[in-house]
């Protein structure tokens, strides 16, 4: 299938903050770096489209002939994009989809390939309580020929790691291949760094633990977590100035983050030097 009809959206109004995303990207939920800029997606309630952003964050929308139930993550392997329709905050889905899209950023069309389909092996017979379960998975990364899906983990605070075959035409029944412990909150995105064999996760505090304080202060206490290839936590990097952190991508040693618009914070995309510095410090230890 081919999808075309790209639409260019003007950038946000002039501002001292050059990291502001256009209004059409206010619910950004996934991020991929390209040679020319970035690709983003929006989550549920928004159009099924890729949002191509240049270095100045000018947006070109690329509509897709797909359904956006709740798109929550974006990963890439070369020109192959993977869109995780995996959002499940309320716990009403025992399954999800990974949409496969062949995309060349310098062209105005994409090829949509058959989607991957999965379900959780341990999903309970009765619906779990909303925001009190571990069957919401909003982080996806491509590594060593597989897709790796990380649970948000509202209930346990321990992220479950699931392996997905990017070529299977059958529904895949997922069981956790690893667990990530020691995280200070919810996991919202991931990227894999092949040069150092590390996963880098984004997230923020589980505000369900203190709804009143969150409503009053709107502090997300965002963080980045660095894992080794065996999914063991190596370092936590707090980002107190960040808001609802939802996306991460890497390019030529640079780490870029995106946040969704929230009550007191705009949607933004920026280069995070603190994470780059921490990763640089870790490289000698990783080589030993």
């Amino acid at each position: 299938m081919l999808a075309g009809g790209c639409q260019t959206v003007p950038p946000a109004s002039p501002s001292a903050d050059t990291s502001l995303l256009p209004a059409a990207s206010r619910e950004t939920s996934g991020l991929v770096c390209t040679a020319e800029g970035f690709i983003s997606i929006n989550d549920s309630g928004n159009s099924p489209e890729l949002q191509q952003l240049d270095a100045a964050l000018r947006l070109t929308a690329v509509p897709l002939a797909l359904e956006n139930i709740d798109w929550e993550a974006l990963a890439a392997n070369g020109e192959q994009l993977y869109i995780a329709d995996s959002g499940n905050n309320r716990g009403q889905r025992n399954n999800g989809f990974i949409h496969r899209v062949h995309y060349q950023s310098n062209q105005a069309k994409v090829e949509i390939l058959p989607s991957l389909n999965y379900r959780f092996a341990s999903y309970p017979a009765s619906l779990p309580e909303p925001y009190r379960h571990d069957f919401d998975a909003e982080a996806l990364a491509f590594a060593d020929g597989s897709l790796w899906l990380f649970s948000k983990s509202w209930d346990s605070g321990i992220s479950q790691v699931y392996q997905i075959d990017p070529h299977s035409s059958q529904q895949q029944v997922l069981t956790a291949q690893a667990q990530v412990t020691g995280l200070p909150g919810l996991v919202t995105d991931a990227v894999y760094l092949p040069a150092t064999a590390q996963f880098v996760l984004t997230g923020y505090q589980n505000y369900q633990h203190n709804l009143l304080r969150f409503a009053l202060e709107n502090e997300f206490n965002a963080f980045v977590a660095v894992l080794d290839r065996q999914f063991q936590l190596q370092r936590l990097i707090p980002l107190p100035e960040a808001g609802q952190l939802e996306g991460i991508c890497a390019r030529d040693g640079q780490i870029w983050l995106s946040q969704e618009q929230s009550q007191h914070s705009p949607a933004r995309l920026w280069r995070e030097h603190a994470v780059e510095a921490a990763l640089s410090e870790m490289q000698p230890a990783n080589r030993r």
Side-chain angles (χ1 to χ4, degrees):
M1 299 172 63
L2 295 178
C6 295
Q7 179 182 4
T8 299
V9 178
S13 299
S15 168
D17 187 353
T18 58
S19 69
L20 290 178
L21 283 167
S25 298
R26 62 184 175 273
E27 294 191 40
T28 178
S29 61
L31 189 66
V32 160
C33 289
T34 67
E36 302 85 6
F38 312 91
I39 301 171
S40 177
I41 54 172
N42 282 332
D43 58 16
S44 60
N46 290 279
S47 299
E49 64 184 22
L50 298 177
Q51 297 189 334
Q52 183 175 321
L53 297 154
D54 65 13
L57 301 187
R58 290 183 291 258
L59 185 152
T60 299
V62 183
L64 300 178
L66 293 168
E67 182 181 9
N68 182 352
I69 300 174
D70 195 357
W71 291 4
E72 288 292 352
L74 186 63
N77 175 30
E79 295 177 347
Q80 183 81 48
L81 296 179
Y82 301 94
I83 303 169
D85 194 332
S86 56
N88 190 30
N89 285 327
R90 301 190 65 82
Q92 297 177 337
R93 303 174 69 184
N94 71 346
N95 69 334
F97 304 93
I98 309 294
H99 300 304
R100 300 187 302 154
V101 177
H102 185 78
Y103 180 66
Q104 293 177 301
S105 57
N106 60 352
Q107 295 187 5
K109 63 180 181 180
V110 295
E111 180 184 3
I112 300 175
L113 304 174
S115 298
L116 307 173
N117 182 9
Y118 69 85
R119 66 177 177 87
F120 295 109
S122 59
Y123 190 82
S126 57
L127 288 177
E129 184 180 351
Y131 302 95
R132 295 288 191 274
H133 62 90
D134 286 350
F135 299 99
D136 184 19
E138 301 190 6
L140 185 72
F142 184 91
D144 301 329
S146 291
L147 290 164
W148 299 91
L149 185 67
F150 296 79
S151 70
K152 197 171 185 178
S153 295
W154 290 100
D155 183 44
S156 68
I158 299 173
S159 184
Q160 310 296 315
V161 185
Y162 302 97
Q163 185 176 12
I164 296 177
D165 181 348
H167 306 293
S168 176
S169 60
Q170 306 296 318
Q171 184 181 63
Q172 301 182 52
V173 181
L174 303 186
T175 57
Q177 302 299 301
Q179 295 180 326
V180 184
T181 60
L183 297 172
L186 309 170
V187 176
T188 58
D189 203 11
V191 69
Y192 181 67
L193 308 179
T196 55
Q198 293 170 301
F199 290 93
V200 187
L201 311 183
T202 60
Y204 48 82
Q205 69 174 339
N206 187 342
Y207 52 81
Q208 293 289 323
H209 292 165
N210 196 333
L211 280 172
L212 178 59
R213 180 178 177 183
F214 179 77
L216 293 174
E217 301 177 5
N218 202 231
E219 292 183 355
F220 281 91
N221 294 321
F223 65 89
V224 163
V226 183
L227 316 179
D228 65 17
R229 185 59 185 82
Q230 287 69 50
F231 306 101
Q232 299 300 303
L233 181 63
Q234 293 183 305
R235 182 171 294 193
L236 285 171
I237 306 163
L239 298 174
E241 301 302 317
Q244 187 174 341
L245 202 55
E246 293 284 347
I248 184 171
C249 68
R251 177 179 58 216
D252 300 329
Q254 300 175 357
I255 298 295
W256 293 82
L257 303 176
S258 61
Q259 71 181 35
E260 183 175 333
Q261 178 178 302
S262 58
Q263 183 176 356
H264 300 295
S265 300
R268 296 176 54 226
L269 191 161
W270 73 98
R271 182 179 173 185
E272 185 48 72
H273 295 279
V275 176
E276 294 173 14
L279 290 169
S280 180
E281 291 173 5
M282 297 172 68
Q283 285 186 15
N286 289 334
R287 285 195 291 265
R288 286 198 293 268

